[in-house]
Amino acid sequence: MKIDFQQKLNMIYHATYVPTHYYIKSNLKAVYPSLSLPDDYLEHYKNRLLSAHDDILYLTTKEFAYLGICRNPHTGESVILGPVCSTPLSDEAIDHLISAYSLPVQMRLQIIDFFHQTLLFTLDQFLNILALVYTEMTGTAIDIFEQFGIVNHEREEEIGNVHSRSLYERKEEQHYHDTYFFEQAYYGFVERGDLNGLKDFMKTVPPLGIGSVAQDSLRQSKNIFITSVALMTRRAIAGGLDIETAYQLSDSYIQEAERMTDATAITLLNATATMDFTRRVSDAKIPSGMSPDVFRAIQFISNHINRDISVRDVARELKMDRSTLSRKFKKELGFNISSYIMRRKLEEARSLLHYTDKTISEISEYLCFSTQSYFQNVFRKKYGCTPREYRKSATRSDTDVR
């Protein structure tokens, strides 16, 4: 059965959920989803898109949202895709958007719902969807790298010139980057989970030649912090910290640094982050030389610790025989999978008791313990105190530090 372009567009929307406006000779024919943004927002960019000479192009709005258009000059059809974002818009950012575009205040909840329900896309994902719509519309395939200049050879040449001049000047002045070997040693402590070694090392750090990566000291501190956290995240994962925990911790520290306005405070936050990553690696320490199968098993358990998972579930995920996986796990780590699942649940419980105000009942239910009393018993057996006692001691410890 032959289907027309509007039907294809409907199918593409329900596969991607990218907001879509379909026009024929500037007349709006279809909108997906039907509950969209107020026309005033799109109107701000629509004329700019429709008046452009290119048959396919995109732009980035002031809110860092992506909008794109593709058209068929032979049929008069045009499709505007977006807006979509690569990172979530906060409610505060949406309030600013409402004010900047003079959108109806009474539609605030609708606008918030729109952005919260629209999926996030990277730029290359968005451009590939735009190219797909263009191909379906015109029958012509395009290369997004060539069409949108994703690889900018002119910019590459400019950076190359700057790099050559800077390299020449630094060598003339004998001013070198000398952080490589320091970084290898510093982040090595993170990967090994060596807290005591890291503390001793941090007391003997020499002056270092750090490059200039920003125009002002605050942005310089933030950029260096982001780079440092990215490096320690990867070394922590190599040391045994589960992937999701490492990346979420990275996001939390970077967001905290972005809120700061004091370069010195950011430097201190860097030390805090390094100690935090190192401690977590130490707590989750696993032997070096671990096989890919056992590593994947650990990652699966860590990412599903709030589920009622069993050895059978892990084996099914890895597409392995249960007994083979169990033998391999025990041989490499010295304990069985069931023990590791319980260990990770209790570590998660301890973290929730320390850092959240969730009740013991909520934590027990979240981690899928059969009963609250069973949770309390295994927690006491592992840590020598009840969950309630642990929370009190953790709170008291935080107060003493302050």
Side-chain angles (χ1 to χ4, degrees):
M1 180 181 67
K2 186 176 181 180
I3 60 175
D4 62 23
F5 176 65
Q6 186 169 335
Q7 290 174 305
K8 292 180 181 179
L9 204 59
N10 182 38
M11 293 169 65
I12 292 173
Y13 168 74
H14 283 95
T16 64
Y17 294 103
V18 173
T20 303
H21 286 69
Y22 174 52
Y23 299 87
I24 298 180
K25 300 185 185 300
S26 300
N27 295 316
L28 184 62
K29 295 297 182 180
V31 178
Y32 310 106
S34 55
L35 182 62
S36 187
L37 285 173
D39 292 338
D40 293 349
Y41 178 85
L42 188 62
E43 196 71 29
H44 188 84
Y45 297 101
K46 185 179 73 173
N47 293 335
R48 179 178 163 189
L49 289 167
L50 292 174
S51 62
H53 299 298
D54 296 316
D55 290 337
I56 180 170
L57 62 89
Y58 80 98
L59 57 82
T60 304
T61 73
K62 292 180 291 186
E63 302 78 42
F64 301 103
Y66 305 130
L67 281 163
I69 187 171
C70 51
R71 71 181 95 220
N72 187 335
H74 304 295
T75 62
E77 293 173 299
S78 300
V79 175
I80 295 179
L81 297 181
V84 299
C85 302
S86 58
T87 57
L89 284 182
S90 66
D91 290 354
E92 292 78 14
I94 293 174
D95 285 337
H96 176 74
L97 179 151
I98 291 171
S99 174
Y101 295 95
S102 301
L103 302 180
V105 176
Q106 62 269 26
M107 298 187 71
R108 178 178 182 274
L109 291 180
Q110 177 183 328
I111 295 168
I112 289 175
D113 284 345
F114 173 86
F115 278 107
H116 285 185
Q117 293 173 17
T118 301
L119 300 179
L120 301 178
F121 291 90
T122 61
L123 178 58
D124 62 329
Q125 288 174 323
F126 177 72
L127 294 181
N128 273 298
I129 295 170
L130 187 64
L132 171 63
V133 172
Y134 179 79
T135 299
E136 290 294 339
M137 177 186 285
T138 65
T140 302
I142 62 169
D143 184 322
I144 64 169
F145 285 88
E146 294 181 2
Q147 179 69 34
F148 300 110
I150 292 177
V151 177
N152 190 325
H153 295 293
E154 291 183 4
R155 179 59 57 84
E156 182 182 347
E157 184 73 16
E158 292 173 6
I159 296 297
N161 291 335
V162 172
H163 166 260
S164 295
R165 290 196 301 270
S166 298
L167 188 61
Y168 178 86
E169 292 169 1
R170 292 178 75 90
K171 286 183 176 180
E172 281 289 294
E173 298 169 1
Q174 296 189 351
H175 185 195
Y176 303 105
H177 289 79
D178 57 2
T179 59
Y180 177 77
F181 294 106
F182 162 79
E183 289 169 2
Q184 295 306 302
Y186 185 66
Y187 298 114
F189 290 108
V190 177
E191 185 171 339
R192 295 190 298 275
D194 185 357
L195 274 170
N196 292 329
L198 177 63
K199 290 176 182 177
D200 292 338
F201 182 77
M202 292 173 73
K203 296 174 184 176
T204 60
V205 176
L208 297 169
I210 299 173
S212 176
V213 291
Q215 297 298 317
D216 62 81
S217 60
L218 180 60
R219 190 67 257 171
Q220 167 91 356
S221 296
K222 289 184 178 182
N223 288 349
I224 290 174
F225 179 86
I226 291 168
T227 303
S228 177
V229 169
L231 289 170
M232 71 178 72
T233 298
R234 283 143 185 81
R235 297 295 287 269
I237 291 170
L241 189 60
D242 75 88
I243 294 171
E244 190 60 26
T245 295
Y247 277 108
Q248 288 290 346
L249 191 61
S250 168
D251 292 347
S252 298
Y253 272 111
I254 290 172
Q255 290 168 12
E256 178 64 22
E258 285 293 348
R259 286 191 287 267
M260 290 182 165
T261 57
D262 183 341
T264 301
I266 294 172
T267 301
L268 296 175
L269 183 66
N270 199 337
T272 300
T274 309
M275 296 299 291
D276 193 359
F277 271 97
T278 305
R279 178 185 59 76
R280 290 173 186 265
V281 172
S282 178
D283 289 344
K285 196 60 192 164
I286 52 177
S288 60
M290 179 186 301
S291 67
D293 288 334
V294 173
F295 180 77
R296 286 176 55 217
I298 285 176
Q299 296 302 319
F300 177 77
I301 292 167
S302 296
N303 290 335
H304 297 81
I305 206 63
N306 61 321
R307 304 286 178 85
D308 186 16
I309 55 175
S310 64
V311 178
R312 182 178 286 105
D313 296 324
V314 181
R316 186 185 301 117
E317 171 67 19
L318 270 62
K319 297 180 175 56
M320 291 182 66
D321 176 73
R322 176 181 172 181
S323 59
T324 301
L325 176 62
S326 296
R327 283 197 303 272
K328 199 170 190 178
F329 198 98
K330 179 71 178 288
K331 180 180 178 181
E332 293 188 22
L333 299 186
F335 45 82
N336 60 43
I337 298 177
S338 297
S339 297
Y340 183 74
I341 292 172
M342 178 58 71
R343 168 183 148 185
R344 287 293 294 115
K345 283 184 178 291
L346 292 175
E347 287 173 350
E348 186 74 9
R350 190 171 59 170
S351 178
L352 291 170
L353 287 166
H354 191 166
Y355 295 110
T356 76
D357 58 0
K358 292 185 179 299
T359 66
I360 293 171
S361 174
E362 287 173 331
I363 294 172
S364 173
E365 183 177 350
Y366 171 74
L367 294 173
C368 296
F369 284 96
S370 55
T371 65
Q372 184 176 329
S373 61
Y374 175 61
F375 164 55
Q376 291 175 316
N377 288 337
V378 293
F379 190 95
R380 184 187 345 228
K381 184 177 180 181
K382 171 71 173 176
Y383 298 115
C385 61
T386 66
R388 192 177 308 280
E389 289 168 345
Y390 176 81
R391 171 168 275 169
K392 286 181 179 178
S393 66
T395 303
R396 188 163 55 247
S397 175
D398 288 346
T399 304
D400 291 343
V401 170
R402 288 194 292 269

